[in-house]
PDB file of all heavy atoms in Angstrom:
ATOM      1  N   LYS H   1      -7.609 -10.071  -5.572  1.00  0.00           N
ATOM      2  CA  LYS H   1      -6.355 -10.061  -6.511  1.00  0.00           C
ATOM      3  C   LYS H   1      -5.133  -9.410  -5.906  1.00  0.00           C
ATOM      4  O   LYS H   1      -4.070  -9.443  -6.525  1.00  0.00           O
ATOM      5  CB  LYS H   1      -6.667  -9.380  -7.805  1.00  0.00           C
ATOM      6  CG  LYS H   1      -7.747 -10.141  -8.716  1.00  0.00           C
ATOM      7  CD  LYS H   1      -7.116 -11.281  -9.369  1.00  0.00           C
ATOM      8  CE  LYS H   1      -8.012 -11.784 -10.491  1.00  0.00           C
ATOM      9  NZ  LYS H   1      -7.404 -12.893 -11.263  1.00  0.00           N
ATOM     10  N   SER H   2      -5.251  -8.912  -4.778  1.00  0.00           N
ATOM     11  CA  SER H   2      -4.055  -8.120  -4.322  1.00  0.00           C
ATOM     12  C   SER H   2      -2.917  -9.042  -3.794  1.00  0.00           C
ATOM     13  O   SER H   2      -1.747  -8.842  -4.137  1.00  0.00           O
ATOM     14  CB  SER H   2      -4.545  -7.282  -2.978  1.00  0.00           C
ATOM     15  OG  SER H   2      -5.046  -8.161  -1.966  1.00  0.00           O
ATOM     16  N   LYS H   3      -3.285 -10.196  -3.185  1.00  0.00           N
ATOM     17  CA  LYS H   3      -2.200 -11.162  -2.818  1.00  0.00           C
ATOM     18  C   LYS H   3      -1.545 -11.790  -4.054  1.00  0.00           C
ATOM     19  O   LYS H   3      -0.307 -11.780  -4.025  1.00  0.00           O
ATOM     20  CB  LYS H   3      -2.700 -12.361  -1.949  1.00  0.00           C
ATOM     21  CG  LYS H   3      -1.735 -13.142  -1.392  1.00  0.00           C
ATOM     22  CD  LYS H   3      -2.083 -13.941  -0.041  1.00  0.00           C
ATOM     23  CE  LYS H   3      -0.806 -14.744   0.441  1.00  0.00           C
ATOM     24  NZ  LYS H   3      -1.204 -15.562   1.547  1.00  0.00           N
ATOM     25  N   PRO H   4      -2.248 -12.233  -5.078  1.00  0.00           N
ATOM     26  CA  PRO H   4      -1.521 -12.732  -6.295  1.00  0.00           C
ATOM     27  C   PRO H   4      -0.624 -11.755  -6.837  1.00  0.00           C
ATOM     28  O   PRO H   4       0.439 -11.977  -7.299  1.00  0.00           O
ATOM     29  CB  PRO H   4      -2.660 -13.117  -7.192  1.00  0.00           C
ATOM     30  CG  PRO H   4      -3.874 -13.392  -6.264  1.00  0.00           C
ATOM     31  CD  PRO H   4      -3.642 -12.493  -5.157  1.00  0.00           C
ATOM     32  N   PHE H   5      -1.089 -10.387  -6.835  1.00  0.00           N
ATOM     33  CA  PHE H   5      -0.203  -9.337  -7.313  1.00  0.00           C
ATOM     34  C   PHE H   5       1.112  -9.220  -6.588  1.00  0.00           C
ATOM     35  O   PHE H   5       2.158  -9.002  -7.149  1.00  0.00           O
ATOM     36  CB  PHE H   5      -0.894  -8.006  -7.307  1.00  0.00           C
ATOM     37  CG  PHE H   5      -0.128  -6.820  -7.763  1.00  0.00           C
ATOM     38  CD1 PHE H   5      -0.107  -6.493  -9.168  1.00  0.00           C
ATOM     39  CD2 PHE H   5       0.563  -6.006  -6.864  1.00  0.00           C
ATOM     40  CE1 PHE H   5       0.699  -5.410  -9.578  1.00  0.00           C
ATOM     41  CE2 PHE H   5       1.338  -4.936  -7.309  1.00  0.00           C
ATOM     42  CZ  PHE H   5       1.369  -4.690  -8.634  1.00  0.00           C
ATOM     43  N   CYS H   6       0.999  -9.252  -5.183  1.00  0.00           N
ATOM     44  CA  CYS H   6       2.174  -9.125  -4.348  1.00  0.00           C
ATOM     45  C   CYS H   6       3.169 -10.307  -4.685  1.00  0.00           C
ATOM     46  O   CYS H   6       4.347 -10.120  -4.721  1.00  0.00           O
ATOM     47  CB  CYS H   6       1.770  -9.149  -2.913  1.00  0.00           C
ATOM     48  SG  CYS H   6       0.921  -7.724  -2.385  1.00  0.00           S
ATOM     49  N   GLU H   7       2.623 -11.510  -4.776  1.00  0.00           N
ATOM     50  CA  GLU H   7       3.404 -12.676  -5.147  1.00  0.00           C
ATOM     51  C   GLU H   7       4.176 -12.488  -6.426  1.00  0.00           C
ATOM     52  O   GLU H   7       5.407 -12.784  -6.572  1.00  0.00           O
ATOM     53  CB  GLU H   7       2.611 -13.938  -5.144  1.00  0.00           C
ATOM     54  CG  GLU H   7       2.095 -14.322  -3.741  1.00  0.00           C
ATOM     55  CD  GLU H   7       1.055 -15.393  -3.746  1.00  0.00           C
ATOM     56  OE1 GLU H   7       0.584 -15.770  -4.901  1.00  0.00           O
ATOM     57  OE2 GLU H   7       0.688 -15.861  -2.678  1.00  0.00           O
ATOM     58  N   LYS H   8       3.484 -12.146  -7.545  1.00  0.00           N
ATOM     59  CA  LYS H   8       4.114 -11.798  -8.796  1.00  0.00           C
ATOM     60  C   LYS H   8       5.030 -10.778  -8.752  1.00  0.00           C
ATOM     61  O   LYS H   8       6.120 -10.796  -9.453  1.00  0.00           O
ATOM     62  CB  LYS H   8       2.960 -11.655  -9.891  1.00  0.00           C
ATOM     63  CG  LYS H   8       1.975 -12.693 -10.104  1.00  0.00           C
ATOM     64  CD  LYS H   8       0.941 -12.295 -10.998  1.00  0.00           C
ATOM     65  CE  LYS H   8      -0.045 -13.505 -11.259  1.00  0.00           C
ATOM     66  NZ  LYS H   8      -1.232 -13.065 -12.060  1.00  0.00           N
ATOM     67  N   LEU H   9       4.811  -9.707  -8.056  1.00  0.00           N
ATOM     68  CA  LEU H   9       5.687  -8.489  -7.991  1.00  0.00           C
ATOM     69  C   LEU H   9       7.001  -8.967  -7.334  1.00  0.00           C
ATOM     70  O   LEU H   9       8.108  -8.641  -7.872  1.00  0.00           O
ATOM     71  CB  LEU H   9       5.017  -7.420  -7.177  1.00  0.00           C
ATOM     72  CG  LEU H   9       5.910  -6.262  -6.745  1.00  0.00           C
ATOM     73  CD1 LEU H   9       6.362  -5.484  -8.036  1.00  0.00           C
ATOM     74  CD2 LEU H   9       5.179  -5.286  -5.834  1.00  0.00           C
ATOM     75  N   LEU H  10       6.864  -9.733  -6.194  1.00  0.00           N
ATOM     76  CA  LEU H  10       8.027  -9.977  -5.485  1.00  0.00           C
ATOM     77  C   LEU H  10       8.938 -11.095  -6.292  1.00  0.00           C
ATOM     78  O   LEU H  10      10.160 -11.114  -6.236  1.00  0.00           O
ATOM     79  CB  LEU H  10       7.706 -10.616  -4.089  1.00  0.00           C
ATOM     80  CG  LEU H  10       7.110  -9.599  -3.111  1.00  0.00           C
ATOM     81  CD1 LEU H  10       6.779 -10.173  -1.796  1.00  0.00           C
ATOM     82  CD2 LEU H  10       7.984  -8.417  -2.877  1.00  0.00           C
ATOM     83  N   SER H  11       8.175 -12.006  -7.105  1.00  0.00           N
ATOM     84  CA  SER H  11       8.929 -12.756  -7.930  1.00  0.00           C
ATOM     85  C   SER H  11       9.669 -12.116  -8.903  1.00  0.00           C
ATOM     86  O   SER H  11      10.873 -12.495  -9.297  1.00  0.00           O
ATOM     87  CB  SER H  11       7.904 -13.829  -8.607  1.00  0.00           C
ATOM     88  OG  SER H  11       8.497 -14.622  -9.546  1.00  0.00           O
ATOM     89  N   TRP H  12       9.079 -10.892  -9.546  1.00  0.00           N
ATOM     90  CA  TRP H  12       9.919 -10.075 -10.439  1.00  0.00           C
ATOM     91  C   TRP H  12      11.052  -9.366  -9.807  1.00  0.00           C
ATOM     92  O   TRP H  12      12.088  -9.381 -10.444  1.00  0.00           O
ATOM     93  CB  TRP H  12       8.916  -9.110 -11.064  1.00  0.00           C
ATOM     94  CG  TRP H  12       9.583  -8.117 -11.922  1.00  0.00           C
ATOM     95  CD1 TRP H  12      10.125  -8.392 -13.132  1.00  0.00           C
ATOM     96  CD2 TRP H  12       9.828  -6.619 -11.587  1.00  0.00           C
ATOM     97  NE1 TRP H  12      10.644  -7.184 -13.680  1.00  0.00           N
ATOM     98  CE2 TRP H  12      10.407  -6.135 -12.771  1.00  0.00           C
ATOM     99  CE3 TRP H  12       9.372  -5.860 -10.620  1.00  0.00           C
ATOM    100  CZ2 TRP H  12      10.804  -4.782 -12.817  1.00  0.00           C
ATOM    101  CZ3 TRP H  12       9.767  -4.614 -10.568  1.00  0.00           C
ATOM    102  CH2 TRP H  12      10.571  -4.024 -11.690  1.00  0.00           C
ATOM    103  N   VAL H  13      10.852  -9.009  -8.538  1.00  0.00           N
ATOM    104  CA  VAL H  13      11.965  -8.314  -7.773  1.00  0.00           C
ATOM    105  C   VAL H  13      13.202  -9.279  -7.641  1.00  0.00           C
ATOM    106  O   VAL H  13      14.268  -8.877  -7.877  1.00  0.00           O
ATOM    107  CB  VAL H  13      11.400  -7.943  -6.396  1.00  0.00           C
ATOM    108  CG1 VAL H  13      12.608  -7.582  -5.564  1.00  0.00           C
ATOM    109  CG2 VAL H  13      10.460  -6.717  -6.529  1.00  0.00           C
ATOM    110  N   LYS H  14      12.845 -10.501  -7.373  1.00  0.00           N
ATOM    111  CA  LYS H  14      13.902 -11.559  -7.179  1.00  0.00           C
ATOM    112  C   LYS H  14      14.606 -11.785  -8.420  1.00  0.00           C
ATOM    113  O   LYS H  14      15.901 -11.942  -8.476  1.00  0.00           O
ATOM    114  CB  LYS H  14      13.289 -12.812  -6.537  1.00  0.00           C
ATOM    115  CG  LYS H  14      12.815 -12.628  -5.059  1.00  0.00           C
ATOM    116  CD  LYS H  14      12.263 -13.890  -4.491  1.00  0.00           C
ATOM    117  CE  LYS H  14      13.320 -14.883  -3.993  1.00  0.00           C
ATOM    118  NZ  LYS H  14      12.690 -16.002  -3.372  1.00  0.00           N
ATOM    119  N   SER H  15      13.822 -12.010  -9.462  1.00  0.00           N
ATOM    120  CA  SER H  15      14.390 -12.295 -10.751  1.00  0.00           C
ATOM    121  C   SER H  15      15.293 -11.082 -11.356  1.00  0.00           C
ATOM    122  O   SER H  15      16.148 -11.278 -12.150  1.00  0.00           O
ATOM    123  CB  SER H  15      13.398 -12.769 -11.794  1.00  0.00           C
ATOM    124  OG  SER H  15      12.445 -11.681 -12.040  1.00  0.00           O
ATOM    125  N   SER H  16      14.853  -9.925 -10.888  1.00  0.00           N
ATOM    126  CA  SER H  16      15.552  -8.640 -11.478  1.00  0.00           C
ATOM    127  C   SER H  16      16.844  -8.356 -10.622  1.00  0.00           C
ATOM    128  O   SER H  16      17.648  -7.473 -10.979  1.00  0.00           O
ATOM    129  CB  SER H  16      14.643  -7.456 -11.300  1.00  0.00           C
ATOM    130  OG  SER H  16      13.503  -7.792 -12.176  1.00  0.00           O
ATOM    131  N   ASN H  17      16.928  -9.124  -9.521  1.00  0.00           N
ATOM    132  CA  ASN H  17      18.140  -8.895  -8.650  1.00  0.00           C
ATOM    133  C   ASN H  17      18.199  -7.470  -8.076  1.00  0.00           C
ATOM    134  O   ASN H  17      19.296  -6.811  -7.995  1.00  0.00           O
ATOM    135  CB  ASN H  17      19.449  -9.306  -9.338  1.00  0.00           C
ATOM    136  CG  ASN H  17      19.587 -10.765  -9.696  1.00  0.00           C
ATOM    137  OD1 ASN H  17      19.197 -11.554  -8.873  1.00  0.00           O
ATOM    138  ND2 ASN H  17      19.907 -11.015 -10.943  1.00  0.00           N
ATOM    139  N   CYS H  18      17.074  -6.894  -7.702  1.00  0.00           N
ATOM    140  CA  CYS H  18      17.088  -5.572  -7.177  1.00  0.00           C
ATOM    141  C   CYS H  18      17.719  -5.720  -5.642  1.00  0.00           C
ATOM    142  O   CYS H  18      17.530  -6.676  -4.987  1.00  0.00           O
ATOM    143  CB  CYS H  18      15.691  -4.991  -6.969  1.00  0.00           C
ATOM    144  SG  CYS H  18      14.806  -4.582  -8.527  1.00  0.00           S
ATOM    145  N   ALA H  19      18.529  -4.664  -5.321  1.00  0.00           N
ATOM    146  CA  ALA H  19      19.182  -4.670  -4.118  1.00  0.00           C
ATOM    147  C   ALA H  19      18.259  -4.579  -2.934  1.00  0.00           C
ATOM    148  O   ALA H  19      18.365  -5.203  -1.934  1.00  0.00           O
ATOM    149  CB  ALA H  19      20.196  -3.430  -3.976  1.00  0.00           C
ATOM    150  N   LYS H  20      17.180  -3.694  -3.053  1.00  0.00           N
ATOM    151  CA  LYS H  20      16.115  -3.498  -2.054  1.00  0.00           C
ATOM    152  C   LYS H  20      14.884  -2.959  -2.578  1.00  0.00           C
ATOM    153  O   LYS H  20      14.958  -2.380  -3.604  1.00  0.00           O
ATOM    154  CB  LYS H  20      16.762  -2.798  -0.818  1.00  0.00           C
ATOM    155  CG  LYS H  20      17.143  -1.257  -1.131  1.00  0.00           C
ATOM    156  CD  LYS H  20      17.698  -0.636   0.102  1.00  0.00           C
ATOM    157  CE  LYS H  20      18.202   0.794  -0.193  1.00  0.00           C
ATOM    158  NZ  LYS H  20      19.450   0.771  -0.904  1.00  0.00           N
ATOM    159  N   VAL H  21      13.837  -3.049  -1.848  1.00  0.00           N
ATOM    160  CA  VAL H  21      12.572  -2.498  -2.223  1.00  0.00           C
ATOM    161  C   VAL H  21      12.166  -1.602  -1.058  1.00  0.00           C
ATOM    162  O   VAL H  21      12.214  -1.883   0.198  1.00  0.00           O
ATOM    163  CB  VAL H  21      11.486  -3.647  -2.339  1.00  0.00           C
ATOM    164  CG1 VAL H  21      10.126  -3.002  -2.746  1.00  0.00           C
ATOM    165  CG2 VAL H  21      11.969  -4.653  -3.379  1.00  0.00           C
ATOM    166  N   ILE H  22      11.699  -0.379  -1.422  1.00  0.00           N
ATOM    167  CA  ILE H  22      11.185   0.548  -0.430  1.00  0.00           C
ATOM    168  C   ILE H  22       9.716   0.851  -0.838  1.00  0.00           C
ATOM    169  O   ILE H  22       9.452   1.387  -1.899  1.00  0.00           O
ATOM    170  CB  ILE H  22      11.941   1.874  -0.393  1.00  0.00           C
ATOM    171  CG1 ILE H  22      13.429   1.547  -0.065  1.00  0.00           C
ATOM    172  CG2 ILE H  22      11.447   2.808   0.575  1.00  0.00           C
ATOM    173  CD1 ILE H  22      14.341   2.765  -0.081  1.00  0.00           C
ATOM    174  N   VAL H  23       8.804   0.550   0.125  1.00  0.00           N
ATOM    175  CA  VAL H  23       7.360   0.842  -0.140  1.00  0.00           C
ATOM    176  C   VAL H  23       7.039   2.126   0.710  1.00  0.00           C
ATOM    177  O   VAL H  23       7.278   2.181   1.792  1.00  0.00           O
ATOM    178  CB  VAL H  23       6.529  -0.343   0.423  1.00  0.00           C
ATOM    179  CG1 VAL H  23       5.024  -0.098   0.191  1.00  0.00           C
ATOM    180  CG2 VAL H  23       7.040  -1.677  -0.274  1.00  0.00           C
ATOM    181  N   LEU H  24       6.470   2.971  -0.092  1.00  0.00           N
ATOM    182  CA  LEU H  24       5.910   4.246   0.472  1.00  0.00           C
ATOM    183  C   LEU H  24       4.405   4.094   0.772  1.00  0.00           C
ATOM    184  O   LEU H  24       3.659   3.798  -0.131  1.00  0.00           O
ATOM    185  CB  LEU H  24       6.170   5.475  -0.422  1.00  0.00           C
ATOM    186  CG  LEU H  24       7.553   5.662  -0.726  1.00  0.00           C
ATOM    187  CD1 LEU H  24       7.738   6.963  -1.648  1.00  0.00           C
ATOM    188  CD2 LEU H  24       8.483   5.836   0.431  1.00  0.00           C
ATOM    189  N   SER H  25       3.986   4.298   2.057  1.00  0.00           N
ATOM    190  CA  SER H  25       2.611   3.951   2.372  1.00  0.00           C
ATOM    191  C   SER H  25       2.060   4.977   3.358  1.00  0.00           C
ATOM    192  O   SER H  25       2.701   6.037   3.659  1.00  0.00           O
ATOM    193  CB  SER H  25       2.495   2.482   2.952  1.00  0.00           C
ATOM    194  OG  SER H  25       1.203   2.174   3.165  1.00  0.00           O
ATOM    195  N   SER H  26       0.825   4.682   3.811  1.00  0.00           N
ATOM    196  CA  SER H  26       0.211   5.548   4.814  1.00  0.00           C
ATOM    197  C   SER H  26      -0.759   4.636   5.570  1.00  0.00           C
ATOM    198  O   SER H  26      -1.087   3.540   5.321  1.00  0.00           O
ATOM    199  CB  SER H  26      -0.542   6.693   4.217  1.00  0.00           C
ATOM    200  OG  SER H  26      -1.428   6.205   3.096  1.00  0.00           O
ATOM    201  N   SER H  27      -1.137   5.260   6.790  1.00  0.00           N
ATOM    202  CA  SER H  27      -2.117   4.581   7.645  1.00  0.00           C
ATOM    203  C   SER H  27      -2.971   5.567   8.284  1.00  0.00           C
ATOM    204  O   SER H  27      -2.723   6.683   8.443  1.00  0.00           O
ATOM    205  CB  SER H  27      -1.363   3.868   8.799  1.00  0.00           C
ATOM    206  OG  SER H  27      -2.209   3.066   9.592  1.00  0.00           O
ATOM    207  N   HIS H  28      -4.248   5.057   8.701  1.00  0.00           N
ATOM    208  CA  HIS H  28      -5.159   5.960   9.284  1.00  0.00           C
ATOM    209  C   HIS H  28      -4.741   6.616  10.575  1.00  0.00           C
ATOM    210  O   HIS H  28      -4.290   5.855  11.504  1.00  0.00           O
ATOM    211  CB  HIS H  28      -6.435   5.157   9.662  1.00  0.00           C
ATOM    212  CG  HIS H  28      -7.302   4.770   8.479  1.00  0.00           C
ATOM    213  ND1 HIS H  28      -7.788   5.787   7.549  1.00  0.00           N
ATOM    214  CD2 HIS H  28      -7.655   3.637   7.890  1.00  0.00           C
ATOM    215  CE1 HIS H  28      -8.480   5.159   6.602  1.00  0.00           C
ATOM    216  NE2 HIS H  28      -8.468   3.864   6.726  1.00  0.00           N
TER     217      HIS H  28
END
């Protein structure tokens, strides 16, 4: 379900007209 979530999230970002998205993450 992670990919469908990303698709729906980015669709919301576009419809909301956000200027930019910043993802805070980590790696091994």
Side-chain angles (χ1 to χ4, degrees):
K1 292 281 190 175
S2 58
K3 186 162 185 180
F5 178 85
C6 292
E7 292 170 351
K8 292 175 183 176
L9 171 65
L10 295 178
S11 175
W12 175 69
V13 168
K14 292 178 83 171
S15 64
S16 300
N17 296 315
C18 290
K20 60 181 174 290
V21 182
I22 301 177
V23 180
L24 303 182
S25 184
S26 52
S27 183
H28 286 300

